[in-house]
Amino acid sequence: MAALVRRSLRCLVKLQVEPRGSSLIILRHMSQVEKPLSGKSALVTGSTSGIGLGIARALAGSGCNIVFTGHKDEAGIRELHQEFTRKHNVQANYIPAELTRPGDIEKLCHETMAYYPEGVNILINAAGIQHVCPIEKFPLERWDTMLSVMLTAPFQITKHLLPAMKTKGWGRIVNVSTVHGLVASVNKCAYVAAKHGLNGLTKVVALETAGTGVTCNSICPGWVLSTMMEQQIAQASAENGISWDEAKWLLISQKQPSMQFATIEQVSASVVYLCSPAADQMTGSCMTMDGGWTAQ
């Protein structure tokens, strides 16, 4: 603490004796140190709730401008916009898009490029949905919807936004996968198939961009106490005739040896790390955060 105070006093003294232009440079430098992603921009899908929103908040907190998209009413969108712009002092733009529709995805990408003509620096594919039932009862329309949102949409968005990243010589693509992109569970055929495919897409993009300054990684958390997880807990509670808390511990005890949920904040911090210079040589990785799930 004493060292921090001395360093701050030195900065204040320097601001007093330097010319005005130099002072602005010093202030800008200090801001960049505090906000490692200042000047960067990110498109985050599924960013109006859950893990996607947590990631958008963490990026904004690191100084990154945010393009956010997802399902939310107008009042909720206004509230999030104010949070990004006032709390974090970054630019924020909301673009509505239904990720099952290729035309909406193209519109999302074109409008993003209109806000950032040189392209966004960071792409986070975080949108996800779930449906749990045995394969013989799994509706085809649910299968199509889930693969569209969690595999086809990341492919399309990456295809549109990657060229600008390569032109600039810097970019970060993080696909929010799951431990189910590495191992399987019963009654989750579409989710497991989509997330395995997303991890495969991650590796291909990483190889195709190797050496360009663009990296592509996926993050694979186990159980995270998110909106989607809460829906699964509610379903387990109803199906087994047990309380919500009992269903929560039933699910986590079956898979996650740590017996603790990962938090949205932990997942979000990992994404910020993947966007940092410390992760320059991390590409093609499927980064697990699963409390020992896949170590079994």
Side-chain angles (χ1 to χ4, degrees):
M1 178 63 72
L4 178 61
V5 171
R6 287 195 297 270
R7 188 159 60 250
S8 300
L9 287 173
R10 284 198 297 270
C11 289
L12 288 172
V13 170
K14 198 168 186 180
L15 287 174
Q16 289 174 350
V17 300
E18 292 280 3
R20 180 176 177 82
S22 299
S23 297
L24 291 175
I25 292 172
I26 294 167
L27 285 171
R28 192 178 299 117
H29 173 71
M30 291 172 66
S31 175
Q32 288 170 350
V33 171
E34 295 169 359
K35 304 281 188 177
L37 296 178
S38 289
K40 298 279 194 292
S41 55
L43 167 62
V44 186
T45 69
S47 48
T48 54
S49 64
I51 292 174
L53 175 55
I55 292 171
R57 284 170 168 159
L59 291 172
S62 296
C64 188
N65 297 321
I66 301 295
V67 177
F68 63 111
T69 185
H71 298 284
K72 201 84 167 176
D73 59 29
E74 290 186 12
I77 295 302
R78 285 195 301 270
E79 184 177 335
L80 286 178
H81 184 272
Q82 290 176 357
E83 176 186 339
F84 291 133
T85 56
R86 295 179 183 178
K87 180 177 180 180
H88 301 296
N89 196 30
V90 299
Q91 180 177 328
N93 302 98
Y94 173 73
I95 304 175
E98 177 51 65
L99 297 184
T100 59
R101 300 173 185 161
D104 274 25
I105 294 174
E106 288 190 16
K107 177 176 174 287
L108 170 65
C109 294
H110 290 319
E111 290 191 17
T112 298
M113 293 293 289
Y115 288 121
Y116 299 98
E118 295 184 358
V120 290
N121 307 100
I122 297 166
L123 167 62
I124 311 294
N125 289 305
I129 52 176
Q130 181 63 281
H131 183 76
V132 180
C133 78
I135 190 168
E136 64 267 26
K137 297 180 181 179
F138 209 99
L140 177 60
E141 62 272 18
R142 293 296 295 173
W143 169 278
D144 288 341
T145 297
M146 291 175 71
L147 265 71
S148 292
V149 170
M150 294 186 288
L151 185 56
T152 303
F155 157 74
Q156 265 194 284
I157 299 170
T158 300
K159 180 180 178 180
H160 279 288
L161 301 184
L162 177 58
M165 293 182 184
K166 292 171 73 174
T167 297
K168 289 187 290 189
W170 196 95
R172 296 288 183 267
I173 300 170
V174 181
N175 294 318
V176 180
S177 184
T178 163
V179 70
H180 281 118
L182 303 170
V183 296
S185 291
V186 298
N187 300 331
K188 295 186 176 183
C189 58
Y191 191 75
V192 170
K195 294 302 188 178
H196 270 72
L198 185 60
N199 283 351
L201 177 65
T202 297
K203 294 175 182 180
V204 172
V205 173
L207 291 174
E208 292 186 4
T209 56
T212 67
V214 177
T215 66
C216 183
N217 296 283
S218 68
I219 184 162
C220 301
W223 292 140
V224 180
L225 201 54
S226 62
T227 304
M228 185 186 296
M229 187 69 232
E230 289 175 348
Q231 292 169 351
Q232 292 184 66
I233 294 170
Q235 182 175 344
S237 172
E239 290 176 351
N240 292 282
I242 56 180
S243 70
W244 195 90
D245 283 336
E246 288 171 329
K248 180 176 71 171
W249 293 115
L250 174 65
L251 287 174
I252 199 168
S253 66
Q254 291 173 345
K255 299 290 187 180
Q256 205 144 303
S258 69
M259 292 296 290
Q260 294 180 338
F261 287 92
T263 67
I264 290 175
E265 291 77 15
Q266 289 167 341
V267 175
S268 302
S270 297
V271 172
V272 173
Y273 165 74
L274 289 173
C275 296
S276 74
D280 279 352
Q281 289 304 309
M282 282 191 69
T283 193
S285 296
C286 299
M287 186 178 180
T288 57
M289 182 186 294
D290 63 5
W293 185 330
T294 54
Q296 300 176 98

PDB file of all heavy atoms in Angstrom, residues 116-137:
ATOM      1  N   TYR A 116     -18.461   0.066 -35.891  1.00  0.00           N
ATOM      2  CA  TYR A 116     -16.998  -0.063 -35.868  1.00  0.00           C
ATOM      3  C   TYR A 116     -16.522  -0.442 -37.271  1.00  0.00           C
ATOM      4  O   TYR A 116     -16.319  -1.623 -37.569  1.00  0.00           O
ATOM      5  CB  TYR A 116     -16.571  -1.112 -34.835  1.00  0.00           C
ATOM      6  CG  TYR A 116     -16.987  -0.753 -33.440  1.00  0.00           C
ATOM      7  CD1 TYR A 116     -18.145  -1.293 -32.866  1.00  0.00           C
ATOM      8  CD2 TYR A 116     -16.240   0.152 -32.683  1.00  0.00           C
ATOM      9  CE1 TYR A 116     -18.543  -0.933 -31.592  1.00  0.00           C
ATOM     10  CE2 TYR A 116     -16.630   0.522 -31.406  1.00  0.00           C
ATOM     11  CZ  TYR A 116     -17.791  -0.021 -30.873  1.00  0.00           C
ATOM     12  OH  TYR A 116     -18.189   0.342 -29.611  1.00  0.00           O
ATOM     13  N   PRO A 117     -16.372   0.553 -38.146  1.00  0.00           N
ATOM     14  CA  PRO A 117     -16.055   0.279 -39.557  1.00  0.00           C
ATOM     15  C   PRO A 117     -14.779  -0.540 -39.764  1.00  0.00           C
ATOM     16  O   PRO A 117     -14.659  -1.240 -40.778  1.00  0.00           O
ATOM     17  CB  PRO A 117     -15.910   1.686 -40.158  1.00  0.00           C
ATOM     18  CG  PRO A 117     -16.747   2.553 -39.275  1.00  0.00           C
ATOM     19  CD  PRO A 117     -16.591   1.987 -37.896  1.00  0.00           C
ATOM     20  N   GLU A 118     -13.840  -0.456 -38.829  1.00  0.00           N
ATOM     21  CA  GLU A 118     -12.628  -1.262 -38.961  1.00  0.00           C
ATOM     22  C   GLU A 118     -12.787  -2.634 -38.313  1.00  0.00           C
ATOM     23  O   GLU A 118     -11.844  -3.426 -38.283  1.00  0.00           O
ATOM     24  CB  GLU A 118     -11.439  -0.526 -38.336  1.00  0.00           C
ATOM     25  CG  GLU A 118     -11.086   0.759 -39.074  1.00  0.00           C
ATOM     26  CD  GLU A 118      -9.854   1.430 -38.497  1.00  0.00           C
ATOM     27  OE1 GLU A 118      -9.301   0.911 -37.502  1.00  0.00           O
ATOM     28  OE2 GLU A 118      -9.438   2.476 -39.043  1.00  0.00           O
ATOM     29  N   GLY A 119     -13.976  -2.909 -37.810  1.00  0.00           N
ATOM     30  CA  GLY A 119     -14.261  -4.206 -37.216  1.00  0.00           C
ATOM     31  C   GLY A 119     -14.059  -4.227 -35.714  1.00  0.00           C
ATOM     32  O   GLY A 119     -13.253  -3.469 -35.173  1.00  0.00           O
ATOM     33  N   VAL A 120     -14.810  -5.093 -35.039  1.00  0.00           N
ATOM     34  CA  VAL A 120     -14.614  -5.259 -33.605  1.00  0.00           C
ATOM     35  C   VAL A 120     -13.334  -6.051 -33.360  1.00  0.00           C
ATOM     36  O   VAL A 120     -12.888  -6.823 -34.204  1.00  0.00           O
ATOM     37  CB  VAL A 120     -15.810  -5.969 -32.936  1.00  0.00           C
ATOM     38  CG1 VAL A 120     -17.034  -5.082 -32.919  1.00  0.00           C
ATOM     39  CG2 VAL A 120     -16.109  -7.302 -33.600  1.00  0.00           C
ATOM     40  N   ASN A 121     -12.760  -5.857 -32.204  1.00  0.00           N
ATOM     41  CA  ASN A 121     -11.528  -6.556 -31.839  1.00  0.00           C
ATOM     42  C   ASN A 121     -11.789  -7.926 -31.231  1.00  0.00           C
ATOM     43  O   ASN A 121     -10.956  -8.825 -31.320  1.00  0.00           O
ATOM     44  CB  ASN A 121     -10.728  -5.728 -30.820  1.00  0.00           C
ATOM     45  CG  ASN A 121     -10.495  -4.308 -31.287  1.00  0.00           C
ATOM     46  OD1 ASN A 121     -11.204  -3.387 -30.864  1.00  0.00           O
ATOM     47  ND2 ASN A 121      -9.525  -4.102 -32.161  1.00  0.00           N
ATOM     48  N   ILE A 122     -12.957  -8.048 -30.604  1.00  0.00           N
ATOM     49  CA  ILE A 122     -13.253  -9.248 -29.818  1.00  0.00           C
ATOM     50  C   ILE A 122     -14.645  -9.758 -30.178  1.00  0.00           C
ATOM     51  O   ILE A 122     -15.586  -8.976 -30.298  1.00  0.00           O
ATOM     52  CB  ILE A 122     -13.192  -8.927 -28.308  1.00  0.00           C
ATOM     53  CG1 ILE A 122     -11.781  -8.488 -27.902  1.00  0.00           C
ATOM     54  CG2 ILE A 122     -13.647 -10.121 -27.465  1.00  0.00           C
ATOM     55  CD1 ILE A 122     -11.709  -7.839 -26.525  1.00  0.00           C
ATOM     56  N   LEU A 123     -14.742 -11.063 -30.358  1.00  0.00           N
ATOM     57  CA  LEU A 123     -16.035 -11.713 -30.581  1.00  0.00           C
ATOM     58  C   LEU A 123     -16.227 -12.779 -29.506  1.00  0.00           C
ATOM     59  O   LEU A 123     -15.379 -13.660 -29.348  1.00  0.00           O
ATOM     60  CB  LEU A 123     -16.093 -12.359 -31.966  1.00  0.00           C
ATOM     61  CG  LEU A 123     -17.253 -13.333 -32.210  1.00  0.00           C
ATOM     62  CD1 LEU A 123     -18.604 -12.629 -32.080  1.00  0.00           C
ATOM     63  CD2 LEU A 123     -17.122 -13.993 -33.590  1.00  0.00           C
ATOM     64  N   ILE A 124     -17.332 -12.681 -28.781  1.00  0.00           N
ATOM     65  CA  ILE A 124     -17.679 -13.683 -27.778  1.00  0.00           C
ATOM     66  C   ILE A 124     -18.993 -14.342 -28.201  1.00  0.00           C
ATOM     67  O   ILE A 124     -20.045 -13.699 -28.192  1.00  0.00           O
ATOM     68  CB  ILE A 124     -17.852 -13.063 -26.373  1.00  0.00           C
ATOM     69  CG1 ILE A 124     -16.678 -12.143 -26.010  1.00  0.00           C
ATOM     70  CG2 ILE A 124     -18.057 -14.169 -25.343  1.00  0.00           C
ATOM     71  CD1 ILE A 124     -15.348 -12.840 -25.850  1.00  0.00           C
ATOM     72  N   ASN A 125     -18.937 -15.605 -28.578  1.00  0.00           N
ATOM     73  CA  ASN A 125     -20.140 -16.355 -28.918  1.00  0.00           C
ATOM     74  C   ASN A 125     -20.636 -17.044 -27.649  1.00  0.00           C
ATOM     75  O   ASN A 125     -20.139 -18.110 -27.262  1.00  0.00           O
ATOM     76  CB  ASN A 125     -19.825 -17.388 -30.005  1.00  0.00           C
ATOM     77  CG  ASN A 125     -19.574 -16.744 -31.355  1.00  0.00           C
ATOM     78  OD1 ASN A 125     -20.412 -15.995 -31.857  1.00  0.00           O
ATOM     79  ND2 ASN A 125     -18.422 -17.024 -31.950  1.00  0.00           N
ATOM     80  N   ALA A 126     -21.605 -16.412 -26.990  1.00  0.00           N
ATOM     81  CA  ALA A 126     -22.039 -16.890 -25.670  1.00  0.00           C
ATOM     82  C   ALA A 126     -23.495 -17.337 -25.637  1.00  0.00           C
ATOM     83  O   ALA A 126     -23.944 -17.866 -24.611  1.00  0.00           O
ATOM     84  CB  ALA A 126     -21.831 -15.795 -24.622  1.00  0.00           C
ATOM     85  N   ALA A 127     -24.238 -17.139 -26.711  1.00  0.00           N
ATOM     86  CA  ALA A 127     -25.662 -17.492 -26.690  1.00  0.00           C
ATOM     87  C   ALA A 127     -25.827 -19.011 -26.562  1.00  0.00           C
ATOM     88  O   ALA A 127     -25.121 -19.781 -27.215  1.00  0.00           O
ATOM     89  CB  ALA A 127     -26.348 -16.999 -27.955  1.00  0.00           C
ATOM     90  N   GLY A 128     -26.747 -19.413 -25.709  1.00  0.00           N
ATOM     91  CA  GLY A 128     -26.991 -20.839 -25.528  1.00  0.00           C
ATOM     92  C   GLY A 128     -28.402 -21.104 -25.045  1.00  0.00           C
ATOM     93  O   GLY A 128     -29.005 -20.270 -24.366  1.00  0.00           O
ATOM     94  N   ILE A 129     -28.915 -22.272 -25.415  1.00  0.00           N
ATOM     95  CA  ILE A 129     -30.233 -22.707 -24.954  1.00  0.00           C
ATOM     96  C   ILE A 129     -30.146 -24.194 -24.632  1.00  0.00           C
ATOM     97  O   ILE A 129     -29.215 -24.887 -25.056  1.00  0.00           O
ATOM     98  CB  ILE A 129     -31.339 -22.447 -26.005  1.00  0.00           C
ATOM     99  CG1 ILE A 129     -30.937 -23.027 -27.377  1.00  0.00           C
ATOM    100  CG2 ILE A 129     -31.640 -20.970 -26.121  1.00  0.00           C
ATOM    101  CD1 ILE A 129     -32.010 -22.889 -28.435  1.00  0.00           C
ATOM    102  N   GLN A 130     -31.118 -24.698 -23.890  1.00  0.00           N
ATOM    103  CA  GLN A 130     -31.070 -26.082 -23.432  1.00  0.00           C
ATOM    104  C   GLN A 130     -32.437 -26.731 -23.575  1.00  0.00           C
ATOM    105  O   GLN A 130     -33.477 -26.060 -23.447  1.00  0.00           O
ATOM    106  CB  GLN A 130     -30.599 -26.125 -21.968  1.00  0.00           C
ATOM    107  CG  GLN A 130     -30.474 -27.508 -21.369  1.00  0.00           C
ATOM    108  CD  GLN A 130     -29.435 -28.362 -22.063  1.00  0.00           C
ATOM    109  OE1 GLN A 130     -29.705 -28.919 -23.137  1.00  0.00           O
ATOM    110  NE2 GLN A 130     -28.245 -28.455 -21.471  1.00  0.00           N
ATOM    111  N   HIS A 131     -32.432 -28.020 -23.857  1.00  0.00           N
ATOM    112  CA  HIS A 131     -33.636 -28.855 -23.802  1.00  0.00           C
ATOM    113  C   HIS A 131     -33.180 -30.237 -23.393  1.00  0.00           C
ATOM    114  O   HIS A 131     -32.231 -30.779 -23.960  1.00  0.00           O
ATOM    115  CB  HIS A 131     -34.354 -28.903 -25.153  1.00  0.00           C
ATOM    116  CG  HIS A 131     -35.634 -29.684 -25.128  1.00  0.00           C
ATOM    117  ND1 HIS A 131     -36.788 -29.176 -24.577  1.00  0.00           N
ATOM    118  CD2 HIS A 131     -35.939 -30.933 -25.561  1.00  0.00           C
ATOM    119  CE1 HIS A 131     -37.760 -30.072 -24.680  1.00  0.00           C
ATOM    120  NE2 HIS A 131     -37.263 -31.157 -25.272  1.00  0.00           N
ATOM    121  N   VAL A 132     -33.830 -30.795 -22.388  1.00  0.00           N
ATOM    122  CA  VAL A 132     -33.391 -32.061 -21.809  1.00  0.00           C
ATOM    123  C   VAL A 132     -34.500 -33.100 -21.952  1.00  0.00           C
ATOM    124  O   VAL A 132     -35.593 -32.928 -21.408  1.00  0.00           O
ATOM    125  CB  VAL A 132     -33.032 -31.886 -20.315  1.00  0.00           C
ATOM    126  CG1 VAL A 132     -32.571 -33.206 -19.717  1.00  0.00           C
ATOM    127  CG2 VAL A 132     -31.952 -30.815 -20.152  1.00  0.00           C
ATOM    128  N   CYS A 133     -34.214 -34.168 -22.716  1.00  0.00           N
ATOM    129  CA  CYS A 133     -35.126 -35.306 -22.800  1.00  0.00           C
ATOM    130  C   CYS A 133     -34.440 -36.421 -23.585  1.00  0.00           C
ATOM    131  O   CYS A 133     -33.454 -36.161 -24.301  1.00  0.00           O
ATOM    132  CB  CYS A 133     -36.458 -34.925 -23.427  1.00  0.00           C
ATOM    133  SG  CYS A 133     -36.467 -34.764 -25.212  1.00  0.00           S
ATOM    134  N   PRO A 134     -34.911 -37.665 -23.479  1.00  0.00           N
ATOM    135  CA  PRO A 134     -34.288 -38.762 -24.217  1.00  0.00           C
ATOM    136  C   PRO A 134     -34.353 -38.551 -25.724  1.00  0.00           C
ATOM    137  O   PRO A 134     -35.274 -37.893 -26.236  1.00  0.00           O
ATOM    138  CB  PRO A 134     -35.120 -39.985 -23.797  1.00  0.00           C
ATOM    139  CG  PRO A 134     -35.766 -39.599 -22.511  1.00  0.00           C
ATOM    140  CD  PRO A 134     -36.009 -38.120 -22.615  1.00  0.00           C
ATOM    141  N   ILE A 135     -33.390 -39.106 -26.437  1.00  0.00           N
ATOM    142  CA  ILE A 135     -33.274 -38.843 -27.869  1.00  0.00           C
ATOM    143  C   ILE A 135     -34.511 -39.277 -28.644  1.00  0.00           C
ATOM    144  O   ILE A 135     -34.926 -38.615 -29.602  1.00  0.00           O
ATOM    145  CB  ILE A 135     -31.988 -39.496 -28.447  1.00  0.00           C
ATOM    146  CG1 ILE A 135     -31.746 -39.015 -29.888  1.00  0.00           C
ATOM    147  CG2 ILE A 135     -32.044 -41.021 -28.359  1.00  0.00           C
ATOM    148  CD1 ILE A 135     -30.377 -39.364 -30.416  1.00  0.00           C
ATOM    149  N   GLU A 136     -35.153 -40.382 -28.225  1.00  0.00           N
ATOM    150  CA  GLU A 136     -36.317 -40.860 -28.990  1.00  0.00           C
ATOM    151  C   GLU A 136     -37.513 -39.932 -28.836  1.00  0.00           C
ATOM    152  O   GLU A 136     -38.458 -39.996 -29.643  1.00  0.00           O
ATOM    153  CB  GLU A 136     -36.690 -42.295 -28.588  1.00  0.00           C
ATOM    154  CG  GLU A 136     -37.149 -42.467 -27.144  1.00  0.00           C
ATOM    155  CD  GLU A 136     -36.012 -42.831 -26.206  1.00  0.00           C
ATOM    156  OE1 GLU A 136     -34.848 -42.491 -26.518  1.00  0.00           O
ATOM    157  OE2 GLU A 136     -36.285 -43.446 -25.161  1.00  0.00           O
ATOM    158  N   LYS A 137     -37.473 -39.047 -27.844  1.00  0.00           N
ATOM    159  CA  LYS A 137     -38.549 -38.079 -27.658  1.00  0.00           C
ATOM    160  C   LYS A 137     -38.117 -36.657 -28.023  1.00  0.00           C
ATOM    161  O   LYS A 137     -38.907 -35.724 -27.873  1.00  0.00           O
ATOM    162  CB  LYS A 137     -39.023 -38.104 -26.195  1.00  0.00           C
ATOM    163  CG  LYS A 137     -39.624 -39.427 -25.763  1.00  0.00           C
ATOM    164  CD  LYS A 137     -40.061 -39.373 -24.306  1.00  0.00           C
ATOM    165  CE  LYS A 137     -40.656 -40.697 -23.842  1.00  0.00           C
ATOM    166  NZ  LYS A 137     -41.054 -40.655 -22.415  1.00  0.00           N
TER     167      LYS A 137
END
